[in-house]
Structures are given as structure tokens and as C-alpha cells.
Amino acid sequence: MNFIGNAKAVKLLEKSIENGKISQAYLFSGPESVGKFTLAKLFASFLIFGKNNIDLDVPIGGGNKEFEGNSKFFDLIVIEPEVEEKKGIKKEKDIKIEKIREAQRDLVMFPYNKKKKVLIINNAHRLTVSAQNALLKSLEEPNETSVIILITHNDSVIIPTIKSRCQKINFFLSGIEEMEEILRDEKNKEIIEFSMGRPGLALRMKENKEEFNAKKKDFKELSEFSSLGINERFGLAEKMAANPAEIFKKLEFWMWIIRLESRKRGLSDGFFSFKTIEKIDKALKTIKNTNANARLAIENLFLE
């Protein structure tokens, strides 16, 4: 497969194709933007079209009229959360049971290409509990001509009975050399550093100046943070708490940059040190795993 990064995951899938041992269901789990969805589509192409008939140049999406009547896409079903925007803040909606039932009706049909039907559920952690329970039926009574691929960066919310019926494939961040191979340009050194080992994020920043500038802004805020007064820190905490989804992205990015800087400077103490990373990580876990007020947790972090 023509795929850069996560060589272990690629090799495992290639071996399963060569040996003809395809699982009925897979769980692709790992950080965001490391290529899970891309590899799932590539794997689906092998299963549907065969090794010598792969076409990934045409964008793949669910419910798009562009694909109606196109036999290439009859055997591929893609489900992912809808995104709604309110007051400039984007939020993913839950995937409800109706979407799963609709996909199940399609899965029981014999494949148009006489090979496999593939259901890809992107960001499967957005499945409601009722949707997961409905999906469980397809996993407990699998159809020999269908393959289900769940993709998530938060598998802790996937119910155990689903996880136990999937072959789990773990994904990891890419190394600097792999990122350089993807971008193939010395001018992209800053993008490589800002991408946090995530090829998808790197490519988006390369193509979208707005996304790149947003990361530059986060970098600037971090660089100037130690000189901010108490009121300025509380103001930043209030601004971050207004958009909960961005809290995790910003703080994860800060941890990444602090880690890079601590290695460059060889520091074991001070602002750019692993002690700071531990404090940020602790705050993130508090926000993610408890009912703690996000703004209060960030304010406490900033005071430290």
C-alpha cells in the first residue's frame, strides 16, 4: 500500500490480504490526523476492487449525489458525524441509531462488485450508546461479504462488547523523517514542527493558511505566556473555556512544543520542562475525565 507512516499497521493489513484472512471487523485507534481514515479507505479499495483496480482519487463521502449511480461506490458505506456551527464554534454531532440501521440494510445486500461490502465509521466515539448496541448485532451475526471498520481517537467510549469483536489496530504519531517524506520540502520545517507528528494536520496546514496561522497564534501565546499578568491569564482561560473542543487541541499543541523546546535547550526545570508538561497533562485529564469546570481547571493550571 502506498502509505507513509504507521508501517506496522500497513504491514498487518497487507499480510491479511495476502493470506486471505480478513477480519469481519476492525478498530483503527490512535491520535487524530495520523492517517487512520486514509488507510481505511485504501484498505477498503483492496477489499472492494481487488489489488489492481484501486481508485482513491475520487473523494469518498456518504450521501453525496455525485456517487449515486456510480457502481464504484455501491459497496462502500461511510458514516461520520455531521458538523454544526454556532457562533463560529464548530461541533460534531452524535451518530444516531438511524444511521446504523440504514447502513445495516445496505450491508445485507450482495456486493455489486462480487467481492466485499465495507462500512467505515469515522470518529466512531460519536456513536450514541443505542447506535453502538444496534451495531453490535452486525458484529455478533456477521455477514461473510461485509467488513466493518471503526475509526476513533477515543476508544474508551466504545462499549467493551464491540471492542471484543474487532481486531484492534493501533496507530501512532509519525517521526520527523516520515513527516519530511510526506511534505518533501525544506520550506515546510515550521509546519513539520507544528504538526505534532500528524501527517493529516501537516497537509492541512500546507494547503490551508488559516489553519497554519491558527497554530502560529497558539505558538505565540505559549511563547509570551510566562510574561502575562494574572488578569491576562484569566482572560485567556475565559476565552479558551468558551470553546471546549479547542481546549484539548491548544493544550496538546503546547505540550508538544514544550517537549521540543525542552529537548533543544536541555532543560529539566523551568517553564519549558517536563514538569510543565505534567501539569498540563493533569489538567487535561481532569477536564476530560471528571465533571470539573473547564474554566476553573484552566485558571488553576495558569496560576501554577
Side-chain angles (χ1 to χ4, degrees), residues 71-115:
S71 62
K72 281 185 178 180
F73 300 97
F74 283 173
D75 293 331
L76 177 61
I77 311 157
V78 178
I79 296 176
E80 54 188 343
E82 294 179 4
V83 178
E84 63 178 2
E85 186 172 345
K86 291 183 179 179
K87 297 180 181 180
I89 297 175
K90 293 181 179 180
K91 183 180 179 182
E92 284 186 339
K93 298 171 73 174
D94 287 340
I95 301 172
K96 297 185 178 179
I97 191 171
E98 291 77 14
K99 286 284 185 183
I100 298 302
R101 286 175 174 163
E102 184 182 335
Q104 287 171 325
R105 287 193 290 270
D106 201 349
L107 281 179
V108 297
M109 303 293 287
F110 191 76
Y112 183 85
N113 289 296
K114 299 180 176 61
K115 294 182 183 295

Side-chain angles (χ1 to χ4, degrees), residues 20-84:
K21 294 182 179 179
I22 307 299
S23 297
Q24 296 291 153
Y26 294 86
L27 177 63
F28 286 14
S29 179
E32 291 184 82
S33 301
V34 294
K36 300 186 300 294
F37 189 34
T38 299
L39 188 57
K41 289 187 289 185
L42 186 57
F43 183 48
S45 291
F46 274 91
L47 299 177
I48 295 169
F49 306 124
K51 202 167 185 179
N52 300 316
N53 296 288
I54 301 168
D55 186 355
L56 283 182
D57 294 331
V58 181
I60 297 172
N64 193 326
K65 290 182 180 179
E66 178 183 351
F67 306 111
E68 290 181 2
N70 187 337
S71 62
K72 281 185 178 180
F73 300 97
F74 283 173
D75 293 331
L76 177 61
I77 311 157
V78 178
I79 296 176
E80 54 188 343
E82 294 179 4
V83 178
E84 63 178 2

Side-chain angles (χ1 to χ4, degrees), residues 20-208:
K21 294 182 179 179
I22 307 299
S23 297
Q24 296 291 153
Y26 294 86
L27 177 63
F28 286 14
S29 179
E32 291 184 82
S33 301
V34 294
K36 300 186 300 294
F37 189 34
T38 299
L39 188 57
K41 289 187 289 185
L42 186 57
F43 183 48
S45 291
F46 274 91
L47 299 177
I48 295 169
F49 306 124
K51 202 167 185 179
N52 300 316
N53 296 288
I54 301 168
D55 186 355
L56 283 182
D57 294 331
V58 181
I60 297 172
N64 193 326
K65 290 182 180 179
E66 178 183 351
F67 306 111
E68 290 181 2
N70 187 337
S71 62
K72 281 185 178 180
F73 300 97
F74 283 173
D75 293 331
L76 177 61
I77 311 157
V78 178
I79 296 176
E80 54 188 343
E82 294 179 4
V83 178
E84 63 178 2
E85 186 172 345
K86 291 183 179 179
K87 297 180 181 180
I89 297 175
K90 293 181 179 180
K91 183 180 179 182
E92 284 186 339
K93 298 171 73 174
D94 287 340
I95 301 172
K96 297 185 178 179
I97 191 171
E98 291 77 14
K99 286 284 185 183
I100 298 302
R101 286 175 174 163
E102 184 182 335
Q104 287 171 325
R105 287 193 290 270
D106 201 349
L107 281 179
V108 297
M109 303 293 287
F110 191 76
Y112 183 85
N113 289 296
K114 299 180 176 61
K115 294 182 183 295
K116 294 282 187 182
K117 272 188 175 290
V118 181
L119 167 62
I120 298 175
I121 305 179
N122 194 25
N123 288 342
H125 49 273
R126 299 303 309 185
L127 287 163
T128 63
V129 174
S130 59
Q132 291 191 52
N133 284 323
L135 179 65
L136 188 58
K137 185 177 180 181
S138 295
L139 299 175
E140 289 174 334
E141 303 170 8
N143 187 328
E144 289 185 2
T145 59
S146 67
V147 174
I148 297 172
I149 305 173
L150 305 181
I151 301 170
T152 181
H153 58 263
N154 183 16
D155 65 14
S156 64
V157 300
I158 305 294
I159 59 176
T161 44
I162 283 183
K163 287 194 280 191
S164 67
R165 287 167 171 79
C166 295
Q167 180 179 353
K168 186 177 182 182
I169 298 183
N170 292 311
F171 286 71
F172 304 94
L173 300 175
S174 295
I176 295 295
E177 289 183 2
E178 290 173 326
M179 297 300 296
E180 288 174 344
E181 188 177 350
I182 292 165
L183 295 176
R184 299 178 183 278
D185 193 341
E186 278 294 322
K187 294 178 182 177
N188 293 313
K189 186 177 180 182
E190 197 171 27
I191 290 179
I192 290 173
E193 287 196 350
F194 286 179
S195 67
M196 303 184 288
R198 304 168 192 249
L201 177 57
L203 292 172
R204 289 202 305 273
M205 284 194 289
K206 184 179 179 180
E207 296 165 3
N208 186 339

